[in-house]
Amino acid sequence: MRIGVVAKYIGVSLMLVSGFMLLSALVALLHGGDDSIIPLLYSGVVTGVLGIFPSFFVRRTGKLSQREGYLIVVGSWLLSCFTGMIPYLLYGGEFGFVNAIFESVSGFTTTGASILNDIEALPRGLLFWRMSTAWIGGIGIVVLFSLLVPSSSGNDMTLAGVEVSEIARDSSRLKPSSFVHMMIGVYLALSIGAFLSLKLCGLGWFDAATQAMSAISTCGFSTRNASIAAFDSVAVELVLSVFMIMASLRFSLIFSFVFDKGHSKLFSSEVTRTFLLMIAVGVALLTAGLGISGYYDSFGACLRVSTFQVASIFTTTGFATVDTNLWPPFCASVIVAGSIVCGCSGSTSGGMKVDRLLLAAKAFANKVKSLQNPNILSPVKVDGQIKREKAINTVMIFIASYLVIILLGALVNSMAGLDLKTAWTASVACMGNVGPGLGDVGSMANYAALPGLVKWNSMALMLIGRLEIFPLFYVFGQFGRDKRSFSKKTR
């Protein structure tokens, strides 16, 4: 393994982070040079120097191995989260070390969980940086910087292949060299579309830009203490709902819908239809539950609140217009269930992904049929594609691992003294990169008062969920094996 090459590529990701820090400093300058400009400038310079330093020693990189690809992806995420906390630390205020790194990890993983009690007290430069971490993390740090990697080397797809799940790449009809460009193109188009739509709703350029960045990355960070409830606008909620759902659809299908209409499967895709059906059922159940309980006076109010909250939680965004802690248990249960499955692979959504749930359900049904009639062998198909046994096993292992990690996370939270509701829903919300849960981490609360152990546990869950489990464990497993090999050689 070539450590220098790995360091060089990780350095590219840090230079990308540095660029957004300096852009945030420019935003601070345009707003009269607020208190965040110096922290952002210092952070941008330090991060940029760290990023460019390895390039002085490594000229040629050659073809990356799979192992190097995994190390670059995981290293880029970890170091970006670490350097991303520097502006918060230098600014101070509510940001001690643990809180600063928590906010950074939450942003880059697009979880949207926050430790801030007064978001509106932050200067605009720092608010923009906070949203920038979410926007970078939404498309993926490595996917974004792989634009700078020559496609002729094939390394751009090697890196994107680690960060983007195989189940998403298998459905794309694009050549590997075009896949990354497609992802970023759709991401930019959705971001611009959301920004312009919010401007038409009457929001100022700063609010429109930051809420758009948060919605398309499905993060849920807001510039207001009351989240989207602060705008009290049906139009804003409708626009955000539409774009949150679009950002949770498979980007390759959106691309083909726009540029390859003859072969578009956006709305004929079983995955898309299943996800949209989940949204519709969620809205219907919440509307009925809130109406029956008498929580709101009118059907219109129930429908409005239900539509936005389902769009927000089922896409793992986590925006809020109401305090879901006050909802009836049935309605709260619907929200938690949506926090586990979430959007489609190949989107910015987190969670288990509806693709995997659909494949697992079909494999289960196929197994039941085979038991009823062992002589009939029917393949498992999703969107017309036959899924091999290896792919099915991988999905089953992922789902089992996902649920076990949620269980372990909840046990750690309980050990730290959290009540049952908070411990479990915080674990679900962080693993799924959703953000808000129930109890002490409800939609109108935050993670500020939680013990340090819970914050570190939550950060681990955020990273495991965002990297979809396997890359992180692969890298740590490699380190463990190398350590054992080194120990044997030195005996």
Side-chain angles (χ1 to χ4, degrees), residues 192 231 248 284:
I192 294 170
F231 300 109
S248 298

Short mmCIF file of all heavy atoms in Angstrom, two decimals, residues 192 231 248 284:
data_model
loop_
_atom_site.label_atom_id
_atom_site.label_comp_id
_atom_site.label_asym_id
_atom_site.label_seq_id
_atom_site.Cartn_x
_atom_site.Cartn_y
_atom_site.Cartn_z
N ILE A 192 -29.82 24.41 -7.39
CA ILE A 192 -30.19 25.68 -8.04
C ILE A 192 -31.71 25.80 -8.14
O ILE A 192 -32.29 26.87 -7.88
CB ILE A 192 -29.54 25.79 -9.43
CG1 ILE A 192 -28.01 25.88 -9.28
CG2 ILE A 192 -30.07 27.01 -10.18
CD1 ILE A 192 -27.26 25.74 -10.58
N PHE A 231 -40.61 30.33 9.22
CA PHE A 231 -41.08 31.03 8.02
C PHE A 231 -42.60 31.06 7.92
O PHE A 231 -43.15 31.92 7.23
CB PHE A 231 -40.48 30.36 6.77
CG PHE A 231 -38.99 30.37 6.74
CD1 PHE A 231 -38.27 29.19 6.92
CD2 PHE A 231 -38.27 31.54 6.55
CE1 PHE A 231 -36.88 29.18 6.92
CE2 PHE A 231 -36.89 31.56 6.54
CZ PHE A 231 -36.19 30.38 6.72
N SER A 248 -34.19 12.49 -2.72
CA SER A 248 -34.16 11.13 -2.17
C SER A 248 -34.45 10.07 -3.22
O SER A 248 -34.47 8.88 -2.90
CB SER A 248 -35.18 11.01 -1.03
OG SER A 248 -34.85 11.88 0.02
N ALA A 284 -51.04 9.66 4.81
CA ALA A 284 -52.41 9.24 5.12
C ALA A 284 -52.55 8.80 6.58
O ALA A 284 -53.51 9.17 7.26
CB ALA A 284 -52.82 8.11 4.18
#
